[in-house]
């Protein structure tokens, strides 16, 4: 019989704590907000189980419609949380998706992928890819989810995500660009909000922020023990041996960074590498001055958060350049 607190085996603060008895204590991102109609935005949300056997699910967000048969851009969204915390059901991501859906007038599918360490990488990628395929399976109006059948415009399909979710969106867009991926999908665009990319060589920003740099130095090996190197192409898309960014399977990419974010330099470098890779799409970057990592999720009423959400809305609603239309 054990007395007192169990002994700690590993800490990844401020995210979680692992005990020697196997218990995992998540320190953030465990709250749950029920779906429904948001009184501030008028957005309606509901939860769907995508794969009962694995527990992969999603929260769908639908804005006020002009008419009952209205078709909207479809945004498949991946939340952040370092691959080990958070979900679409926490207040942070639920409230943000309400605001984004209302501003952008999109139908959003916010994916609840499995988390490390119980389900290490590549589980999050596999779940997210499967959820994307599930969404696309509604393109002929015969899928199990009525909102997707009635209101998704599959000619305007986007991926988006924050931090770890932006990493997922990038890796799925690269997979979509592979000729042998087995899927015939047309991604109009990918929006990366403060993407979690890393590497073994320190950037100037990382050298300034030693505390968060230490966290990220330990993170990838914890969530991806099968491929723990910080220059693994999944986490460092510009590393030697990574797939050529020219193979990006999307016509447009928007990279969002924040001036005070320790991940800022990685986002900038990714944008520069993508723009110079020979890829035939259009790359854009927007930097929020004097702001930190995922600031917009924490202060939805702030002007800079509203500006960023407005920019994302414009990205989701802009027509493709004629030269990229096939």
């Amino acid at each position: 019989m054990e007395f007192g607190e169990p002994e700690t085996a590993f800490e990844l603060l401020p995210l979680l704590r692992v005990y020697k008895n196997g218990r995992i204590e998540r320190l953030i991102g465990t709250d749950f907000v029920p779906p429904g109609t948001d009184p501030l935005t008028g957005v309606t949300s509901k939860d769907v189980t995508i794969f009962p056997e694995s527990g992969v699910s999603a929260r769908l967000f639908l804005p006020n419609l002009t008419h009952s048969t209205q078709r909207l851009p479809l945004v498949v969204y991946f939340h952040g949380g370092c691959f080990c915390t958070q979900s679409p059901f926490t207040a942070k991501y639920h409230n943000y998706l309400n605001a984004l859906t209302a501003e952008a007038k999109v139908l959003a599918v916010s994916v609840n992928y499995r988390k490390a360490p119980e389900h290490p990488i590549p589980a999050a990628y596999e779940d997210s890819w499967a959820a994307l395929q599930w969404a696309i399976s509604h393109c002929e109006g015969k899928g199990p989810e009525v909102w997707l059948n009635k209101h998704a415009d599959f000619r305007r399909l986007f991926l988006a995500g924050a931090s770890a979710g932006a990493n997922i969106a990038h890796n799925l867009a690269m997979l979509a660009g592979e000729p042998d991926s087995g899927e015939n999908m047309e991604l109009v665009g990918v929006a990366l909000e403060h993407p979690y990319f890393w590497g073994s060589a320190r950037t100037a920003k990382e050298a300034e922020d030693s505390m968060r740099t230490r966290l990220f130095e330990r993170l990838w090996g914890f969530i991806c023990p099968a491929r723990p190197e910080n220059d693994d192409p999944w986490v460092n898309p510009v590393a030697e041996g990574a797939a050529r960014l020219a193979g990006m399977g999307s016509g447009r990419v928007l990279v969002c960074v924040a001036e005070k974010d320790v991940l800022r330099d990685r986002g900038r470098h990714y944008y520069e590498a993508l723009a110079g890779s020979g890829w035939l799409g259009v790359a854009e970057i927007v930097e929020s001055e004097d702001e930190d990592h995922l600031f917009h999720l924490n202060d939805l009423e702030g002007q800079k958060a509203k500006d960023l959400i407005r920019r994302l809305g414009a990205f989701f609603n802009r027509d493709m350049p004629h030269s990229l239309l096939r």
Side-chain angles (χ1 to χ4, degrees), residues 45-60:
S45 58
K46 66 176 174 179
D47 295 341
V48 297
T49 299
I50 298 177
F51 301 111
E53 61 276 14
S54 64
V56 177
S57 60
R59 178 162 289 183
L60 276 58

Side-chain angles (χ1 to χ4, degrees), residues 13-81:
L13 302 179
L15 303 174
L16 51 72
R17 186 176 290 118
V18 181
Y19 295 97
K20 287 189 175 180
N21 64 5
R23 182 167 73 91
I24 297 168
E25 179 186 16
R26 287 179 168 82
L27 305 175
I28 60 173
T30 60
D31 58 304
F32 179 89
V33 175
T37 300
D38 178 49
L40 294 178
T41 62
V43 171
T44 302
S45 58
K46 66 176 174 179
D47 295 341
V48 297
T49 299
I50 298 177
F51 301 111
E53 61 276 14
S54 64
V56 177
S57 60
R59 178 162 289 183
L60 276 58
F61 295 81
L62 186 69
N64 281 327
L65 299 173
T66 304
H67 53 82
S68 61
T69 59
Q70 185 177 359
R71 294 280 179 173
L72 305 169
L74 175 61
V75 177
V76 181
Y77 190 87
F78 308 102
H79 67 82

Side-chain angles (χ1 to χ4, degrees), residues 108-131:
V109 177
S110 186
V111 178
N112 186 34
Y113 52 85
R114 290 174 294 171
K115 314 296 186 297
E118 299 94 330
H119 305 284
I121 300 292
Y125 298 136
E126 293 168 349
D127 292 350
S128 299
W129 180 252

